[in-house]
Each structure stands twice: as structure tokens, then as C-alpha cells.
């Protein structure tokens, strides 16, 4: 019997080693798998490459991971926020590498990885600093930049409900990067608030089919005091 | 003659008038967000947010905020009946694929050829951040800009050539400022409206690129 | 008030002119918008380019459209079937042009159009007759073929339920090409069995958001005698 | 010594033995479809179909056929609890993106280097059709082929170099025939099993490429 929910969070996360590339879901704190990130911090692994839309908020979750010194490089679209002081300090001190990617190219490069494409010509960023040195091409009168897939060893995402085969549904705008990151990583670990028996999720409503999910960890939802 | 620049809310109100019934619209973070307040009740306008929302509505009442229901500005919102959730891939396909009718963006500078600068001042010590600005600039069918006509220091924001790093080339269609409305055309920057009491010469003096008077 | 369900099928279809490129949903007959196709036949337009996975089954739906002589060219992955006699005869007589595309490249090229990409490097078809003359590239040790987006003037698709904003849900394996074709066409026309009031579709369950749909036509479901 | 080739069902049964618990598997139209019948009840194997199904089950009972619940072979199927529906884009992302563990395909020819021909005989008057064959060939982590060892006319189907048009290059990992099981390796074609009573020399005689005896 295949049960992707059977292992402890610690056991699941222990696969992650120094130097791993990890996608972390969430847009701001919505959809951010805070408990998985806490577990990742406890591993005390080093030299991680993190892919996320942001670079952490406040002192918890992703920001706490950065503060722990575990991250060598972050690939994101919007690091600078009113509460991104942890990242800001590391960046100004030269202690973290930043690859800035337009948000839609971030999404598209993650999708390209999940879809098995070798590269894509995208219009976003053409002629800008973020496309400097990249191959470009005019196709049917429009300019495009060649962008390569973003793959990852692991994706840590947050969903609402799972079954033992790893099928997932999400909640509201916490969906954001979850489904496409699950498709792009070698090993996807989802934290969910609820686990239902097989058949408890309607096959028409499943957003991430279990083929894209290797492990499910249940983290009961707490009324969060986190700012969005 | 004297004139009064429009307030931020008045610019938003003016821009809102040009958003047609049934339009799919992304309102950039900051000033453009104000437009939502002024959309007429008899129109149905579909607001899109980068983080996977279509047809979201007003902020919730106090006490009903949901940390998992936010817009791209990370503000709490509500959903209208008929709204939908989707992932970031589909959300940016809506932009990049040309499905959004209008986006309204803030700007550091707009050039005479429609080039837009709104993501980086190029300051060496600044931490760069881009978000979805470049995607909106190249993706939406119409790109509107909403901005003060000049900087706080009185420098023109509508310029001949950008001095700030570009967000998107040849992308801006129309600019709403506190002084006027400008259409970016192949013939140049056409002023279609200006505030009462402001002479065209004075407006030109406050602008870093040649304007065409199309207010008659 | 935006109501995408208000026009008659005839009125909606009358936008389609000679020479149009039209995506038609469906895999075999599942998801094939048979009534929209019948309406298209009634228009008596000519020189159509049709994009579908197949080239028609039996004597109805897509096959009937081909038989009417309206189609100049078909772009598909699997024209030859036990009941594709209409296409077979036209093809052997040189009366229809065929562009054969591997099924996954068909899907991917439709997706590329909907996503606004200029071109994609796909591994499928490399080294085969179907990639002859196409640009290729080795990326990270793997070979890819450059494929261009497939766009269309119209998409005719079949869904299960819509609301007046054009939000759609599908039914079982009738979903197939519907969602990606809706994203790739200038004008998408969906035939649906049911229309519900706004709010009748759960925002978590909507598969095709209304932004991708311009018109909805209600065609009450009949217990079909069609072979699958 | 005399030997009996395996029946089609026996080949399917043999191939089924190598599909591990929890595998995501696409069974090609025709012969490979038979494998489903022989998957052991104590294993959970997830069957994928090109047209947007994961974890589908056996055919429905007569009278319960649903024209909107079919597999890629356009046969009526049922869904298991835990199954899901998705669109063609996601379905082929599952293949092309390397998420499927195994696909089992039919073949006209398999070459010594793992090239597969199964979509076109190259006959000039034939109507070409490819479906998802090329996607499966390049996409699945492991590509198994299930075929008779020779054509009806006795010609080898396992050959040194393809004479039919290629479906995918260097893609086949293992071949199940009515006579043997062959692993395609960098060192060559390794026969790991053969039917009782069949000598290696006789098997080599029926094969168009050099075999390595790895049955011991």
C-alpha cells in the first residue's frame, strides 16, 4: 500500500543535504510552509540554493532560514520588502548571492522544468538589465529572451488537504507557486492541514495529482498570527 | 492663470473612467490600486492579481481578514461571486499571453517612445526587486501609467530618453498624471486633457519630452 | 452586466469567416463540441485550418465538417483511426492538407501560444521525420527541437458547466484539450450542458477562468449514442 | 529441443512482474494494455492515460459505460478512488517532464542502441499518425517494449539499425518478447531470460543484432 503520509517530518527532511537546491512555495507568507522551513533549519545543512518569490518576511519562516546561515544563494523576484530586514542585512554584507528573476519568468522557468522543456523564448525582460548577456531572438516581429528551466532537488510546499497518494488541494491565494513547484522538483514534500482517506478528494477538484508529490506531512492549521 | 494639480485620488478617479465594462485589469501596487475605489458600480470590471486571483473585491471588514486571501500588494482582499483561484503559471500566462486588457502601473519615468522605468532607480546601494512589473509591461494589451507629472524635486518624469533602467520597451499606451492625460502615439506624446488653468506651454516646461497639444 | 451566455449559437458562430484557424476540443468524441461543429458547418465558410487531436470519427462532428469541404488543412496527432474514413478519403484524394504533430508537442505548442512564449525547445520528436528541417539544440546533454506556438482565431470547446462570466468546469476525460485551447485562441466559444448563477461555481474548482472564454452557448446534454 | 513461444497474455504477465509497487505507468495502446490485467492485487500501480487520467481502473460493467470516461485507446474505463483528471498540457508534462516511471510500448523494430520504431512503417500510401508515442519514448524514466520477437513473416524485429522511421532515439531500456527478455545496455543487448527449450544460438538466429547471453 502506497502511503506518502507515513513518515515523520524529521525523517522526510533528513534527505536534504548540503548544497541542495530547494524551491519553497508561498507568496509572502501565504502558502509559505513555515513548519517545513523550521524543520529544514533544524537540519543545520549548508550552502542551500533557495527558489522563492520573495526573500523572507520578518524573523520567521524563510527569513529565519536565511538568518541561520544555511543559504548560499536565493533566486527570487521581489526580495526587497518593508519587512525583509534579514535578507537586506545579509545582502549588504555580501553574505548571500541574489539571482533576480521577473516573477513571470520565475513561474515560467519553473513550469519549463516541470514540463521537460530545454529552454523557452519569453518576451519578459527583453532589453532590460535582467536580460543582459542572454540570447535574444525576434520571432514574428516580437523580441524574446531565451530562458532556461529552473529545476530543484526538493520542493517544500504548503497545501490544504492531501490523501495518502499525495493528491493535493490548496486554499485560496495560498495556491500560488505550489502546483508548479511540485512539478519541477525531484522530490516534493507537502505540508497539509488535513489528510483524508483515498476518495475523499473529488478527481475533478484535485489541483496537484499525486504523481508530483513524494511526501506529505500533516501540520494542523493554527490560527496564524503571521502578518500576510 | 493658476491651476490645481489633481490629488492622488483624483488621478485614480480619472483613470477609472477609461476602464470599460468587462475589462480584465491588473492594478499595480501603490497608486494604481486606488483606481479600484472609483470603478463605477454599474460596470463589471475583473481585477487580476499576480498571486492567482481573478475578480477579487474590496478589503474585508475588520476581523474577517484571511492571511491566505491577499493580493499582490499583500493586502487582505475578498472574492466576488464568479471569482477564481489559479497557480502562478496560469496567472502569468494571463499577462504574457495577452489576455489582460489593461494594466495600470506606477512609474519612475516614461519616455517619448513608450519605454517605461519603474523597477529600479539604478542606485548602487539599492537592493533590486522586480516582481511582476516586467511581465505586466510586455503582457497586457494596454499599459496605462499613473504618476505625478514630476518628481518631488520638480524633475520631469516624462522624458525624452530614460535615465533609469528600463522595465519594458515601447510598452506604455497612456499616462495619467496630476496635470494631464497623455497618449503615447507613433507621432509623439499627445496631450488629450489637462487641468483647468494650466497652459500648454507651462505643461511643456514641466515635461522632458516634446508634447503635442491634442486637447481641442 | 457582463453576460457571455446571452447570444444565440448562430450569432456567436457568425464571427467565423473563410480562412479562419480554429481549435476544436476533444479527444476522439469525448469533449468534442458536436453542436458547435454542426453550427460551423451551417455557416458554409471555407478554407478553414482545424487544430484537433484527431481527424474525425464516423460521419458526425469533426468528420462531418471535413466532409462538408470546409477544411483546407488539419493539424493533429492521430488522424488514422478505424473510423476515420472521411479524412482518409480526402487525404488520399489530395483534398486536405495534413500537419502531423506529436500529441505532446501539439499540447505544448498550444500552451506556448496561451502563455505568450515565442518558441520552446522540446525533446519530443528529435531525430525523427517530424522534426526534419527544424532547428535543434543540445542543452545540458539532451537534444531538443525548436517548436513554435500554435495560435488560433477561435477555439470551440465543450465544458460541463459555466456561469455568465465564462468560468468553466469540465467533466471527466472530456476536459482534455479544452483548458489549453481556451487559453490559445483569440475568441473561445464554449458549449456547456448547464449554466449556473454567478457564485454557483466554487472559485477553488474553476478549471478555466472566464478571462479565457468570450462566449458560452448552452446545449443541454443528451444521453449520447455516439461511440467513444 | 523444442520450445513454446509465450502467448500475448503470457508476455503481458511477465512484464507485469517488473512493475514495482507505487509506479506511475503508461501502457501503450494494443498489446501493452493487457499488462493491466496482470498487475498483482497487493501492489498499487498508477495507470496514466494521455487524455488526462491518473489512476484509472478496469473497464466498467456493461451498461455503465461513460462516453466521457475513456483512455487513450478510446476504451471505456473507470476511476479508482484517489484518481484525478487534468488537461492535456499537464498530462504531457507528466511524460516529458520525467514524472512517469515506466511506459510500455509496442514496436515495429528496436535497434541495438535502443532506438525505437513504432509509429510508421514508412509505406508511401499509408496515412501517418503518431499520437503520444514520441512523447512517451523520450519522456518516461524507463521505456519497456512489448512485442513478438519476429514479424509474422519471421523477420527480426530486434535489429542492428532501424529500417523503419524512428520514434525515439536511444530510448528503450528493456524488451519483452514471446521468446525472451532483453536489457538494452551500453555493452549491447543482454538476454536475461529466455523460454525453456530455446537455445541461445537459435534465439540469436531469430534476432537481427548481436545478443549477449546473460541468462546464467
Amino acid at each position: 500500500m502506497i502511503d506518502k503520509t507515513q513518515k515523520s517530518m524529521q525523517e522526510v527532511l533528513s534527505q536534504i543535504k548540503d548544497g541542495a537546491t530547494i524551491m519553497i512555495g508561498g507568496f509572502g507568507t501565504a502558502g509559505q510552509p513555515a513548519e517545513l522551513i523550521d524543520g529544514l533549519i533544524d537540519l543545520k545543512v549548508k550552502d542551500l540554493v533557495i527558489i522563492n518569490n520573495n526573500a523572507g518576511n520578518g524573523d520567521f519562516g524563510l527569513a529565519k532560514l536565511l538568518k541561520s546561515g544555511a543559504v548560499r544563494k536565493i533566486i527570487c523576484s521581489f526580495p526587497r520588502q518593508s519587512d525583509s530586514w534579514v535578507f537586506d542585512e545579509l545582502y549588504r554584507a555580501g553574505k548571500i548571492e541574489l539571482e533576480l528573476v521577473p516573477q513571470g519568468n520565475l513561474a515560467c522557468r519553473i513550469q519549463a522544468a516541470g514540463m521537460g522543456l530545454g529552454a523557452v523564448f519569453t518576451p519578459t525582460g527583453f532589453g532590460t538589465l535582467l536580460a543582459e548577456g542572454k540570447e535574444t531572438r525576434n520571432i514574428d516581429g516580437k523580441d524574446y529572451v531565451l530562458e532556461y528551466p529552473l529545476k530543484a532537488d526538493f520542493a517544500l510546499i504548503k497545501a490544504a488537504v492531501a490523501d495518502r497518494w499525495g493528491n493535493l488541494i490548496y486554499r485560496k491565494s495560498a495556491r500560488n507557486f505550489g502546483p508548479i513547484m511540485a512539478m519541477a522538483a525531484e522530490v516534493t514534500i507537502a505540508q497539509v492541514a488535513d489528510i483524508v482517506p483515498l476518495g475523499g478528494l473529488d478527481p475533478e477538484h484535485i489541483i496537484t495529482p499525486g504523481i508530483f508529490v513524494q511526501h506529505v506531512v500533516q501540520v494542523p492549521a493554527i490560527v496564524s498570527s503571521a502578518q500576510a | 492663470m493658476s491651476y490645481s494639480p489633481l490629488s492622488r485620488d483624483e488621478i485614480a478617479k480619472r483613470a477609472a473612467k477609461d476602464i470599460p465594462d468587462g475589462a480584465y485589469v491588473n492594478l499595480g501596487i501603490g497608486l494604481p490600486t486606488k483606481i479600484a475605489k472609483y470603478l463605477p458600480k454599474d460596470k463589471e470590471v475583473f481585477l487580476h492579481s499576480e498571486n492567482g486571483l481573478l475578480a477579487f473585491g474590496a478589503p474585508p471588514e475588520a476581523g474577517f481578514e484571511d492571511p491566505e486571501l491577499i493580493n499582490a500588494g499583500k493586502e487582505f482582499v475578498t472574492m466576488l461571486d464568479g471569482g477564481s483561484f489559479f497557480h502562478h503559471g496560469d496567472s502569468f500566462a494571463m499577462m504574457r499571453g495577452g489576455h489582460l486588457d489593461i494594466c495600470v502601473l506606477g512609474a519612475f519615468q516614461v519616455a517619448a517612445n513608450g519605454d517605461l522605468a519603474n523597477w529600479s532607480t539604478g542606485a548602487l546601494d539599492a537592493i533590486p526587486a522586480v516582481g511582476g512589473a516586467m511581465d505586466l509591461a510586455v503582457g497586457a494589451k494596454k499599459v496605462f501609467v499613473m504618476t505625478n507629472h514630476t518628481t518631488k524635486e520638480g524633475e520631469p518624469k516624462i522624458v525624452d530618453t530614460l535615465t533609469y533602467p528600463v522595465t519594458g520597451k515601447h510598452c506604455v499606451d497612456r499616462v495619467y498624471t496630476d496635470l494631464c492625460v497623455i497618449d503615447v502615439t507613433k507621432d509623439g506624446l499627445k496631450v488629450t486633457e489637462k487641468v483647468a488653468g494650466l497652459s500648454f506651454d507651462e505643461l511643456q516646461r514641466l515635461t522632458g519630452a516634446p508634447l503635442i497639444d491634442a486637447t481641442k
Side-chain angles (χ1 to χ4, degrees), chain A, chain B:
Chain A
M1 195 178 90
I2 299 303
D3 187 354
K4 298 181 182 180
T5 73
Q6 65 190 340
K7 293 181 185 165
S8 73
M9 185 190 294
Q10 201 182 10
E11 192 181 350
V12 163
L13 290 173
S14 66
Q15 305 171 69
I16 301 178
K17 305 298 178 193
D18 287 358
T21 296
I22 307 177
M23 293 178 174
I24 298 183
F27 181 87
T29 59
Q32 188 175 115
E35 285 78 2
L36 286 177
I37 296 172
D38 283 342
L40 181 57
I41 294 168
D42 291 343
L43 290 178
K44 305 203 185 305
V45 289
K46 294 187 306 287
D47 292 325
L48 301 179
V49 176
I50 298 295
I51 300 168
N52 182 269
N53 187 61
N54 305 103
N57 307 80
D59 291 299
F60 58 94
L62 180 52
K64 194 168 153 196
L65 177 67
L66 298 187
K67 197 167 190 173
S68 77
V71 181
R72 177 176 67 77
K73 177 179 176 180
I74 188 156
I75 302 173
C76 69
S77 89
F78 209 81
R80 188 191 62 216
Q81 298 186 266
S82 59
D83 57 354
S84 62
W85 53 76
V86 171
F87 170 79
D88 297 2
E89 197 180 311
L90 287 167
Y91 183 76
R92 292 190 198 282
K95 288 184 180 163
I96 194 164
E97 193 182 332
L98 169 66
E99 180 179 342
L100 190 70
V101 181
Q103 195 172 149
N105 283 356
L106 189 68
C108 188
R109 292 174 63 190
I110 293 169
Q111 286 186 289
M115 294 167 76
L117 300 177
V120 299
F121 281 106
T122 165
T124 302
F126 177 83
T128 74
L129 287 175
L130 299 186
E132 266 189 359
K134 296 188 176 183
E135 181 175 340
T136 63
R137 190 178 293 199
N138 187 288
I139 300 170
D140 276 344
K142 193 167 171 178
D143 291 310
Y144 297 88
V145 182
L146 190 66
E147 292 281 0
Y148 292 89
L150 273 177
K151 300 172 188 174
D153 301 309
F154 297 91
L156 307 185
I157 64 172
K158 181 181 180 178
V161 187
D163 63 24
R164 67 177 171 84
W165 283 356
N167 292 304
L168 301 179
I169 62 170
Y170 300 83
R171 187 171 173 277
K172 302 187 180 180
S173 63
R175 187 185 300 189
N176 60 69
F177 283 92
I180 62 174
M181 286 181 169
M183 294 172 74
E186 283 295 314
V187 175
T188 293
I189 302 167
Q191 74 168 62
V192 301
D194 290 300
I195 294 172
V196 296
L198 223 54
L201 296 176
D202 186 325
E204 303 280 10
H205 301 164
I206 289 169
I207 300 299
T208 296
I211 190 172
F212 299 126
V213 178
Q214 281 65 48
H215 302 284
V216 173
V217 173
Q218 188 170 11
V219 177
I222 308 163
V223 177
S224 172
S225 63
Q227 286 177 2
Chain B
M1 251 168 93
S2 74
Y3 64 89
S4 303
L6 300 183
S7 69
R8 293 161 65 90
D9 278 86
E10 285 167 333
I11 312 175
K13 203 167 169 178
R14 173 61 194 87
K17 269 176 55 182
D18 289 350
I19 297 187
D21 200 17
Y24 292 89
V25 179
N26 185 297
L27 300 176
I29 297 173
L31 192 49
T33 303
K34 282 189 179 288
I35 292 175
K37 274 201 297 189
Y38 297 104
L39 293 169
K41 296 277 176 285
D42 61 334
K43 284 185 194 170
E44 289 189 332
V45 169
F46 306 106
L47 296 182
H48 169 267
S49 186
E50 287 89 324
N51 57 326
L53 309 179
L54 194 62
F56 66 90
E61 288 177 50
F64 290 86
E65 297 88 353
D66 182 339
E68 294 189 333
L69 186 47
I70 58 173
N71 65 14
K74 304 196 171 78
E75 300 162 324
F76 296 116
V77 295
T78 54
M79 290 300 282
L80 303 181
D81 278 350
S84 54
F85 300 115
F86 35 86
H87 62 55
H88 252 83
D90 283 346
S91 184
F92 280 79
M94 290 180 190
M95 296 182 200
R96 205 191 303 107
H99 308 283
L100 273 186
D101 295 302
I102 297 169
C103 75
V104 189
L105 297 171
F108 296 148
Q109 289 179 328
V110 177
N113 66 355
D115 285 0
L116 170 69
N118 77 346
W119 76 280
S120 167
T121 59
L124 284 176
D125 64 336
I127 295 177
V130 64
M134 290 183 180
D135 303 279
L136 285 164
V138 302
K141 285 181 199 158
K142 294 278 176 197
V143 175
F144 292 170
V145 161
M146 200 172 145
T147 177
N148 281 331
H149 201 83
T150 61
T151 66
K152 280 174 199 156
E153 294 74 30
E155 294 294 317
K157 299 185 76 166
I158 294 157
V159 296
D160 198 57
T161 311
L162 300 181
T163 57
Y164 289 141
V166 66
T167 302
K169 296 180 87 78
H170 310 289
C171 63
V172 177
D173 294 286
R174 187 175 292 168
V175 184
Y176 299 90
T177 79
D178 53 341
L179 300 184
C180 66
V181 179
I182 298 173
D183 278 349
V184 181
T185 75
K186 287 189 178 164
D187 302 327
L189 300 174
K190 290 191 179 167
V191 179
T192 57
E193 294 175 32
K194 53 187 173 59
V195 293
L198 172 64
S199 72
F200 182 78
D201 287 350
E202 173 65 3
L203 182 63
Q204 178 66 74
R205 203 184 59 76
L206 295 166
T207 309
L211 299 177
I212 298 164
D213 189 353
T215 55
K216 294 119 195 182

